[in-house]
Amino acid sequence: VEDDLSRFERVAEDAIRTVVRHLRAELEDRTPASGYAPLGEIADTLDLKRWIGEGGMREADFTAFLQRYLAHSVQLHSPRHIAHQVSVPDYPAAIAALVNGFTNNPMAIYEMGPAAATIEFAVVNWMLEKVGWTPQPVRPRPGSRHSAGVLTHGGSLANLTALLAARARAAPDAWERGAPADLAVLTAPGSHYSVARAVAILGMGSNAIYTLPANRFGVIDPDGLEQAVTDVHASGRRCMALVANACQTATGLHDPLRPIGEFCAANDIWLHVDACHGATALLAARSRQLLDGIELADSLVWDAHKMMQVPVICAAVLFRRSECFDEAFHQDASYLAYGKDADSYDSLPRAIECTKSGLGFKIFMNLAWRGERALGDYVDDRYAAARRFHDIIAERPGFECPYRPESNILCFRYGDDDDLMEAIRERMMRDGAFHITSAIIGGRRHLRLTVMNKRTDEATIRRLLTTIEDYAARLRDASQPEPAGGAEAARPPGGSSPRAHQNDHRRPR
Ligand SMILES: Cc1ncc(COP(=O)(O)O)c(C=O)c1O
């Protein structure tokens, strides 16, 4: 009789074969660009009620189930998925995720994952050095001056951790007494919502946020900082931290870190850089200059599951001065805090999570197999591709681009109707023609591309523009009174994807 481990081996091999077959079809552009369908339809297709209620899945059932599951998943490997800032994972890191899934080392304390903890320690030190900071020694001497960091389950937790440390510096007894009412966090209008959430979670109230002067794309104007601080003081508050973006989520534009960093240093203000998306450019020969001055930050966050081609979820929060990080948490957990004197590394005292996955293993695998240089070249390549795509879009009649992209995020409009913009996006996604996003920029809705996939090229973008023109015509026609001859006569030929043809019977809404 086959034991469970042998069965695991066989089912895992089958699962990998099925996943690879699907990903190859995605890569070769033979699948719809999105797995979108209404929830009820997916629940029926996957037969969820029966499987959850009755169990009894066997190998052949699982393979059929997995095929349907993959068909209704986000199609990140499709060149026509140009939507969110989620990595198209490279296989070395994906293998680490698979191994993590089965070895299940909750490594926040060393003895529960010595190899994973050791790798996290090494990877965090590598990141610190990339920023230009001093790595943490295994056994710091008293008074040792170095930097520090920890890997977290995502950039939102990383932002919260950084602001917690900033709060501890501004109000050392806030952990015990709660947040004082006179703290302000200065940030750009386009900061990620996790920053505002962190401020709320820290008990400071959303009124603690002071929105900095910025240009029309939300990029901080360093000349306005002096006045901002004067305003904060005039309202009886203190500056707890200034949060800058590298880069901003909606636009992919970078705040000018050097002048901001110099201002913060001169005024003793904690500078936190949200570099969730952009930090991987530290490895990129041509794009690194976008991060000039990042070493002046007190803290920064870096999502590996964005541009490091690591599968979700995997981020880092880094601190220039280790002692500032030490102040963040005032918690003792005697049953967990072993090993302080041993040659070991417990990330638990410095992390929000108690149970943590072997996150560093995923980063390590991409570094070990591909090398730092290749990861940097990927960033340069995709950032340059976004600029070429911008030029193609800007030249096309009817399309306009509000700014030239700095990273691999770019925005544009077609026509002048905000509602139409979102309707086009949604219909293309539902039909599986293209998966893109949209964002409000300068008060107007724009279509938004994040160019993560190496196979998204100029031909893909030209095809996207033609598809947008087709959809816009269809949607505009649909909003007109029907011409003589009825709906059939009014409908132009279907969209360009297999599913768009299948769905020709559906009227645009
Ligand atoms: C600038 C920025 N900060 C923070 C986040 C949140 O990161 P996560 O999704 O890893 O929690 C994002 C996500 O897109 C982001 O773009």
Side-chain angles (χ1 to χ4, degrees):
V1 177
E2 191 180 33
D3 65 17
D4 266 354
L5 274 181
S6 308
R7 177 171 291 179
F8 166 68
E9 190 175 8
R10 207 156 31 76
V11 177
E13 280 169 8
D14 282 351
I16 286 173
R17 256 191 297 278
T18 305
V19 169
V20 167
R21 209 175 307 124
H22 181 83
L23 295 186
R24 182 157 291 131
E26 272 188 55
L27 275 176
E28 292 172 359
D29 212 3
R30 290 186 277 112
T31 62
S34 130
Y36 189 91
L39 184 144
E41 197 178 307
I42 295 182
D44 289 346
T45 305
L46 298 181
D47 212 359
L48 296 184
K49 210 165 176 181
R50 178 166 74 89
W51 287 123
I52 292 170
E54 298 171 19
M57 185 178 271
R58 296 291 169 267
E59 282 153 60
D61 307 316
F62 172 64
T63 304
F65 176 89
L66 184 57
Q67 283 165 352
R68 287 194 283 264
Y69 178 86
L70 293 170
H72 287 296
S73 296
V74 66
Q75 310 288 306
L76 288 171
H77 291 73
S78 162
R80 284 174 290 120
H81 178 104
I82 330 171
H84 291 281
Q85 300 156 267
V86 182
S87 71
V88 182
D90 201 357
Y91 75 83
I95 287 172
L98 183 73
V99 173
N100 278 348
F102 207 63
T103 53
N104 201 25
N105 278 216
M107 47 63 68
I109 50 170
Y110 187 78
E111 68 175 39
M112 290 301 288
T118 304
I119 291 178
E120 169 163 332
F121 190 81
V123 164
V124 166
N125 270 347
W126 169 81
M127 288 175 145
L128 293 172
E129 284 186 298
K130 289 296 123 192
V131 180
W133 292 345
T134 314
Q136 41 188 354
V138 180
R139 287 189 193 216
R141 294 217 182 87
S144 151
R145 295 175 76 79
H146 58 273
S147 306
V150 74
L151 299 184
T152 67
H153 289 80
S156 303
L157 273 189
N159 273 333
L160 176 59
T161 310
L163 291 179
L164 180 68
R167 193 188 72 172
R169 179 154 172 269
D173 58 0
W175 186 271
E176 292 79 20
R177 300 166 77 87
D182 67 341
L183 299 180
V185 174
L186 288 63
T187 186
S191 285
H192 189 260
Y193 72 83
S194 60
V195 171
R197 276 197 180 173
V199 170
I201 293 168
L202 291 172
M204 297 163 59
S206 56
N207 288 345
I209 293 184
Y210 177 96
T211 304
L212 288 166
N215 72 9
R216 66 195 174 101
F217 304 119
V219 176
I220 294 174
D221 173 9
D223 292 337
L225 295 178
E226 196 86 54
Q227 185 60 47
V229 171
T230 307
D231 289 351
V232 168
H233 290 164
S235 66
R237 295 183 290 173
R238 296 181 284 144
C239 299
M240 182 187 104
L242 188 155
V243 181
N245 293 304
C247 49
Q248 218 187 84
T249 307
T251 60
L253 296 175
H254 295 71
D255 288 326
L257 298 181
R258 185 161 295 285
I260 294 173
E262 284 166 357
F263 176 85
C264 288
N267 291 275
D268 195 24
I269 296 172
W270 180 293
L271 172 61
H272 173 61
V273 178
D274 183 345
C276 269
H277 187 88
T280 309
L282 286 167
L283 318 179
R286 278 175 286 139
S287 310
R288 198 199 183 286
Q289 40 84 22
L290 292 163
L291 304 171
D292 177 50
I294 196 168
E295 70 284 358
L296 301 173
D298 291 280
S299 56
L300 70 88
V301 300
W302 180 345
D303 258 6
H305 64 233
K306 291 189 165 49
M307 293 303 285
M308 280 195 81
Q309 300 172 70
V310 163
V312 291
I313 194 160
C314 190
V317 55
L318 308 176
F319 295 85
R320 180 160 50 86
R321 288 166 296 174
S322 171
E323 65 275 18
C324 293
F325 189 14
D326 288 335
E327 294 308 316
F329 298 97
H330 292 201
Q331 198 99 66
D332 271 343
S334 57
Y335 58 97
L336 291 172
Y338 312 123
K340 283 219 162 54
D341 301 323
D343 274 349
S344 63
Y345 169 63
D346 296 334
S347 56
L348 181 133
R350 290 167 152 187
I352 291 175
E353 303 97 313
C354 172
T355 302
K356 247 176 62 170
S357 168
L359 303 170
F361 187 23
K362 297 192 280 187
I363 299 176
F364 166 82
M365 284 290 277
N366 276 359
L367 282 170
W369 282 64
R370 300 299 192 199
E372 184 183 309
R373 172 89 185 270
L375 296 182
D377 288 349
Y378 162 77
V379 174
D380 275 339
D381 175 64
R382 293 297 79 191
Y383 283 21
R387 289 192 292 276
R388 292 197 304 278
F389 299 168
H390 162 275
D391 295 346
I392 291 172
I393 298 168
E395 276 168 17
R396 183 108 158 191
F399 288 82
E400 64 184 277
C401 302
Y403 61 89
R404 195 168 161 75
E406 291 176 348
S407 64
N408 56 334
I409 299 174
L410 66 150
C411 295
F412 63 94
R413 283 172 66 77
Y414 177 60
D416 204 33
D417 178 348
D418 275 25
D419 293 341
L420 182 66
M421 228 47 47
E422 179 50 25
I424 292 172
R425 186 202 80 79
E426 197 191 324
R427 281 305 305 262
M428 289 197 307
M429 182 201 54
R430 284 175 179 253
D431 290 349
F434 278 88
H435 195 172
I436 65 174
T437 56
S438 76
I440 305 276
I441 295 164
R444 305 302 305 269
R445 186 158 292 278
H446 286 70
L447 297 172
R448 173 177 174 273
L449 309 180
T450 310
V451 186
M452 307 295 284
N453 193 311
K454 291 179 197 168
R455 296 209 177 189
T456 301
D457 61 10
E458 282 79 350
T460 321
I461 297 304
R462 291 204 171 88
R463 195 169 152 197
L464 168 68
L465 302 185
T466 305
T467 307
I468 290 172
E469 289 161 350
D470 283 353
Y471 271 79
R474 286 174 74 175
L475 288 158
R476 281 194 195 112
D477 283 354
S479 66
Q480 301 297 319
E482 282 189 1
E488 290 309 313
R491 192 173 314 123
S496 55
S497 80
R499 208 186 290 159
H501 288 291
Q502 281 163 24
N503 292 340
D504 262 2
H505 60 281
R506 283 198 240 157
R507 296 285 297 150
R509 285 174 310 149

